[in-house]
Amino acid sequence: MSLPRPTLPALALVVLGASPALAAPQVDAQTCLSCHSVDGVAQIDHIPIIHGQSQTYLRNALHAYKSGQRSGGTADVMQAIAQQLSDAEIDRLAEFFGTEASVVSAAPVTHLVKASAEGADDRLVYLTTEEGGARVVQSRFNHDYFRVAPYLESEKFLTFCSIASMAAVLNSYEDAVQRPIDPKRYPYPYFTQENLFNAANQQVKSFEGVVTDGLTLDEIGQYLTHLDVQPTTVFADENDEAQMRSVILDGLSDPNSRVILNYNRGIVGQDGEGHVSPIAAYHEPSDSVLVLDVAGYKYPPAWIPMPLLYKAMLDKDSASNRSRGLALVRTF
Amino acid sequence: MHNRRQILALGAGGAALGAVAAVGWSGDALAGFGLGGPGDLANPAEIRSEAGVLRATLRPTLSQALVDDKPRKLRRYNRGLPGPTLRVHPGDVMEIRLENGLPQNPLALPELADSPFLSAADLCGPQGMGHVAPHDLNTTNLHFHGMHVSPKGASDNVFLTVEPGGAFNYRVQIPQNHPVGSFWYHPHWHGSVAAQIGSGMAGLILVEPEDYLPAGLPERQIVIQTVIGSDAAAFDDPRQFMSLGAPRIFTLNGQYRPTLRLRQGERQFWRMLLANDFQFCPLNFKAMGLGAILVGRDGIPLHEPKPVNSLLLSPGNRFDVVVEGLAPGLHDMERQPYRHGLVDLDARTIAQVHVEPGGASSGLMPAPAATPPDITDAEISRKRRVVLGERKDPRAIFDTAFTIDGQSYDPDTWHLTPKLDTAEEWTFVNTTAYPHPMHIHINPFQVVAINGKPVAERPWHDTFVVPAAGTLTIRSRFEDFDGDFVTHCHILPHEDAGMMMNVRILP
């Protein structure tokens, strides 16, 4: 018997137990971005770029639209939207778009990449070096590299390392998980750094919340449960180095498992702090772990010695007040 | 070798009078000029009114049709792509029997009853599942798009439901003062509109007095449709037809990339209809080697015919254009590039125009016809703002539902309630990043401003695009008919996803 297809998306969400809060007004940063564009490039002729504008200007403009002081012509469009906003929401959006975080841009750190990649910090071995490539070939735990690397995309915002990592890992399962069809990539199913934000995940943390603060390890676990896979979060402060290594090896050995790493990259000698990226391989002779860095504009993937990586996972995440660690992802 | 004289003889000999003209020939006088001959696009089959009454049976079925090179399963009227053209006079009555020959709707999933997203109020139709997603794709009815007729009873009543196996007898009284031009019929059951029109259920209605077309001016009907080109099941899968990116096959009168022939200097009267559910179709006549004189838009004659180089056909639009062969040669008819909000749609060749040397200009035009008087400032009794939006809704395809004034279609909402014999000015405010061609049933409207900038010519339309993140201001006069109908986006996947609202004309 053929079933009516339109019901399937609805049912998928029923299974996920998404929020039934359908009636709430839905103006959020994503609403703004649909016209004002994610990457700061104007897509529609008369639409201004709002990223990085003065917060005061944005707040005043939204109030002027809301009150009707600005109206007529295309101002009617913003008036219709601003009328749905409370003063608090106007403050929040002005603050959001008035910060650098809302602008997607490549960080100017190429000099850092060069310095590190050329071995200035010899604790790390970058994949782009001869030794780095050789380790992948020698590794007995390298299958995830070939599964995940093809799907790796750089994070869309500086705070989207967890989102980009989840998208790469989920896409690496190909048809083993139900991937959403993104209208822009129709008819091919594919996880993007936008469609991970389904209704249930927006309840965990909103799009603009992630743009501002990123996700903690615990929140990564919650996001994954809403994406048709089974996550296990493993915190470094509850496990010793050997146990963490064993979790990584378990994940790399199982074709149905992937490992997402949450660490402090400053501790391993890179520029930056809290970071998330998939783990792609383990090299026994050097006891090092290959991390597929989703900030590809900063660093290529790096082999990080396990003792150093363990220290980087032990770092306390100020957002959660807990240590960092691993998210082990399995398909059902 | 193509020979015009032979075709003339054949056409005259084969002149089919009475109710149904043969397929491939547009009728007695017109076939004389060779339309639809070898290597030339034929007009659709035609049904005409006799002694003031047009009698027709429209029977949609789900059946295989050859589109480009592959057979595809489509919903079509009388197994045609498009359906037959109906030709009537002002003052005629259309008696149309709609027999729903589509298969039964598949049963709804029992789980739906327990869905936390669906309440009883969400369900529409016997198997329906809500007002924000396609459903019951084989339930149907009829709409007479652009016609100024009663929205009540057995007339242009889009609230009627004709289930598979069922039938309904429409009776549409066309007023004596009805505008002269091109209109169309198509199904309008909320939930199955996109799937049915998108797969081919549409046909022209030509309203004109007896002496409208001069002998010697061939009439070419051009019904442009855009069926999905992926697989047979595409129109049963909303995730396919709801996407702007779906591969679409442009057909003219059901033909894939046909050739339209005319002589250099020769005039033809083109009745153009974009009978589709999604894609815009900008056309450039100069690039086709043609001169063009616009006579009417959406069935409303212009005050004065005017030369045009290009026209933007939005889904649902009709344009009546006298074309003249200018540049001899074989020219591409291209759907011109179009910026669909954030998405650039590429140019696409949809047909070829063959301008053959050796003709002579006839200088002929269709008879002049009345334009409604402009709607003046003094007439406006009320101004309204109608806000178009979108929202996340897990019941909708791709989680995207569309809204008017903050809500997806609700059959019980009646806040657009103008009074009969008044005129109003409405500003559609588009808060989305995509253009929406808005259609209002029963009464045409005048476009007075786009994005707040006045439009000097104030063209009459019944469907006109509201720009992405922009505004459209129109004026409409609510004459002759009180009753209930709708306004909606004619990107029909948006309509099925909720972008529709009731209108009630109070007596």
Side-chain angles (χ1 to χ4, degrees), chain A residues 103-115:
Chain A
V103 188
V104 179
S105 58
V109 289
T110 41
H111 63 285
L112 291 173
V113 174
K114 268 203 153 38

Side-chain angles (χ1 to χ4, degrees), chain B residues 312-375:
Chain B
L312 170 61
L313 278 70
S314 301
N317 277 151
R318 288 88 59 213
F319 288 99
D320 288 338
V321 188
V322 173
V323 301
E324 187 169 304
L326 288 186
L330 195 57
H331 309 280
D332 286 339
M333 179 187 285
E334 269 190 347
R335 190 282 295 272
Q336 301 286 307
Y338 184 71
R339 183 146 182 86
H340 192 110
L342 305 177
V343 181
D344 276 318
L345 300 178
D346 292 336
R348 178 147 18 152
T349 301
I350 63 172
Q352 289 193 306
V353 177
H354 194 178
V355 180
E356 298 166 69
S361 177
S362 64
L364 291 171
M365 294 290 288
T371 311
D374 282 348
I375 301 175

Side-chain angles (χ1 to χ4, degrees), chain A residues 2-7 10-11 13 19 22-24 26 34-35 43-44 46-47 73-74 76-77 80-81 83 181 183 186, chain B residues 106-107 109 112 129 134 236-237 239-240 243 245-247 339 342 385 391-392 394 398-399 429-430 433 451-452 468-471:
Chain A
S2 76
L3 299 170
R5 307 290 284 273
T7 58
L11 285 174
L13 274 125
S19 152
L22 299 173
Q26 296 187 3
S34 68
C35 288
Q43 301 279 0
I44 299 172
H46 63 272
I47 305 288
T74 52
D76 286 350
V77 177
I81 288 167
Q83 281 171 350
I181 296 176
Y186 168 89
Chain B
L107 291 173
L109 293 176
L112 285 178
M129 67 158 289
D236 281 354
D237 182 353
R239 283 172 306 176
Q240 296 224 24
S243 172
R339 183 146 182 86
L342 305 177
R385 195 183 68 156
R391 62 185 302 148
K392 288 221 178 294
F398 302 132
D399 286 354
V429 178
N430 181 0
N451 286 342
T471 66

Side-chain angles (χ1 to χ4, degrees), chain A residues 180-196:
Chain A
I181 296 176
D182 177 61
K184 293 193 193 82
R185 288 175 175 81
Y186 168 89
Y188 307 103
Y190 194 69
F191 281 102
T192 68
Q193 291 175 50
E194 287 92 38
N195 65 21
L196 288 188

Side-chain angles (χ1 to χ4, degrees), chain A residues 32-33 36-37 48-54 57-58 97-98 102-103:
Chain A
C32 309
L33 291 170
H36 292 280
S37 90
I49 295 167
I50 55 175
H51 305 270
Q53 267 284 6
S54 136
Y57 170 80
L58 291 172
F97 284 103
S102 76
V103 188

Side-chain angles (χ1 to χ4, degrees), chain B residues 108-275:
Chain B
L109 293 176
E111 290 91 330
L112 285 178
D114 304 325
S115 164
F117 301 119
L118 297 171
S119 67
D122 287 325
L123 301 173
C124 62
Q127 330 260 0
M129 67 158 289
H131 298 294
V132 294
H135 56 91
D136 297 285
L137 302 184
N138 295 324
T139 300
T140 195
N141 64 14
L142 273 181
H143 169 47
F144 305 95
H145 183 127
M147 293 193 76
H148 183 57
V149 295
S150 169
K152 294 180 180 172
S155 185
D156 189 10
N157 179 352
V158 295
F159 303 104
L160 286 170
T161 298
V162 182
E163 293 297 335
F168 187 81
N169 294 316
Y170 284 87
R171 189 173 191 286
V172 182
Q173 173 68 54
I174 304 168
Q176 282 292 349
N177 66 351
H178 195 282
V180 170
S182 303
F183 304 87
W184 62 302
Y185 60 88
H186 63 74
H188 207 295
W189 195 76
H190 182 62
S192 65
V193 175
Q196 293 186 1
I197 297 180
S199 76
M201 285 168 66
L204 265 172
I205 301 175
L206 302 173
V207 182
E208 62 202 27
E210 196 59 61
D211 52 357
Y212 181 58
L213 293 172
L217 181 63
E219 180 201 65
R220 186 186 286 287
Q221 300 161 24
I222 301 176
V223 180
I224 303 173
Q225 291 169 292
T226 56
V227 302
I228 287 186
S230 48
D231 60 62
F235 273 106
D236 281 354
D237 182 353
R239 283 172 306 176
Q240 296 224 24
F241 66 75
M242 299 292 280
S243 172
L244 176 60
R248 296 290 190 144
I249 304 174
F250 280 73
T251 60
L252 281 67
N253 300 348
Q255 302 298 306
Y256 176 66
R257 295 188 62 169
T259 303
L260 287 63
R261 309 174 74 140
L262 75 169
R263 296 270 184 193
Q264 187 181 12
E266 183 192 349
R267 283 191 170 186
Q268 291 181 351
F269 186 32
W270 285 12
R271 325 291 305 259
M272 310 186 75
L273 157 64
L274 182 57

